[in-house]
Amino acid sequence: MTLLVVTAVEPEAEAVRAGLPAGRVRVAAVGVGAAAAAAGTARLLALAEAAGSPYQAVILAGIAGGFADRAPLGATVVATRSIAADLGADSPDGFISLDELGFGTAVAPAAPTLLASLRESLPDAITGDILTVNTATGTAETAETLARRFPAAVAEGMEGYGAARAAADATLPFAELRTISNTIGPRDRAAWRIPDALAALTKAARSLGL
């Protein structure tokens, strides 16, 4: 399988490359946020298609915040679904999702075969929904609201749904793989464990020979 692994930033890409087994895997940083992830992933897929060497699957990899009591620091998480948590509309009665508005879906399920391969390769990984947000959570109130709205969510990032949409438009299987650097909630940079999460990402990348 010719696999494209996209990350938000270069340190994540370097961590993935450091753990990759020999094989046909391309790793590229495409930028922070869902829009950058969608545009960057779509561009790489189009270029590969035009060159006659198309990719066969896409994985978004990186570090993320984990929900307390669901995904501890250093854990590896694999998305069953990548969900655009704040894509929709505000209202006096609360948030209205894109699905509820009838304008499409904010939910991108992981490809079953790809998800199964990752689960087999990473038996200790936590599986669940990974939220895609445009603004990283920084308060206990927002963390509690998200945890209540998405009881199956284990982590949040900023790129998964965007990369998933690019893969879907190219009719390619997609999955999201993250390692946990911080707990979702009040921003406490002193408590972040980014080097540990990057090291865990290198270890997890060994599964990407698929």
Side-chain angles (χ1 to χ4, degrees):
M1 175 184 293
T2 305
L3 177 66
L4 174 63
V5 179
V6 293
T7 70
V9 295
E10 190 57 33
E12 292 171 320
E14 291 173 357
V16 172
R17 293 187 193 107
L20 281 176
R24 301 180 65 187
V25 181
R26 165 83 186 279
V27 184
V30 292
V32 175
T41 302
R43 177 178 178 274
L44 291 172
L45 294 177
L47 288 173
E49 181 75 25
S53 54
Y55 295 106
Q56 295 172 286
V58 178
I59 290 178
L60 184 287
I63 64 176
F67 282 96
D69 302 323
R70 298 183 188 178
L73 296 178
T76 297
V77 298
V78 176
T80 51
R81 302 184 298 175
S82 299
I83 302 175
D86 51 12
L87 185 57
D90 198 7
S91 83
D93 297 320
F95 183 79
I96 306 172
S97 72
L98 191 68
D99 303 70
E100 292 169 319
L101 290 169
F103 295 152
T105 182
V107 179
T113 54
L114 204 50
L115 177 59
S117 293
L118 289 172
R119 279 175 159 165
E120 182 178 357
S121 300
L122 297 166
D124 295 328
I126 297 166
T127 56
D129 295 339
I130 298 181
L131 306 183
T132 299
V133 295
N134 288 297
T135 302
T137 299
T139 68
E141 181 181 10
T142 300
E144 291 167 3
T145 297
L146 288 174
R148 185 170 58 253
R149 284 180 54 211
F150 301 101
V154 294
E156 74 168 23
M158 301 179 75
E159 296 80 27
Y161 179 80
R165 287 305 315 158
D169 287 348
T171 65
L172 292 177
F174 172 82
E176 183 173 359
L177 169 68
R178 299 276 189 174
T179 54
I180 303 303
S181 60
N182 59 281
T183 299
I184 297 170
R187 291 176 65 81
D188 178 9
R189 293 183 67 90
W192 292 1
R193 297 292 181 266
I194 292 176
D196 292 343
L198 291 173
L201 189 59
T202 295
K203 183 177 179 180
R206 296 170 189 157
S207 71
L208 300 182
L210 295 176

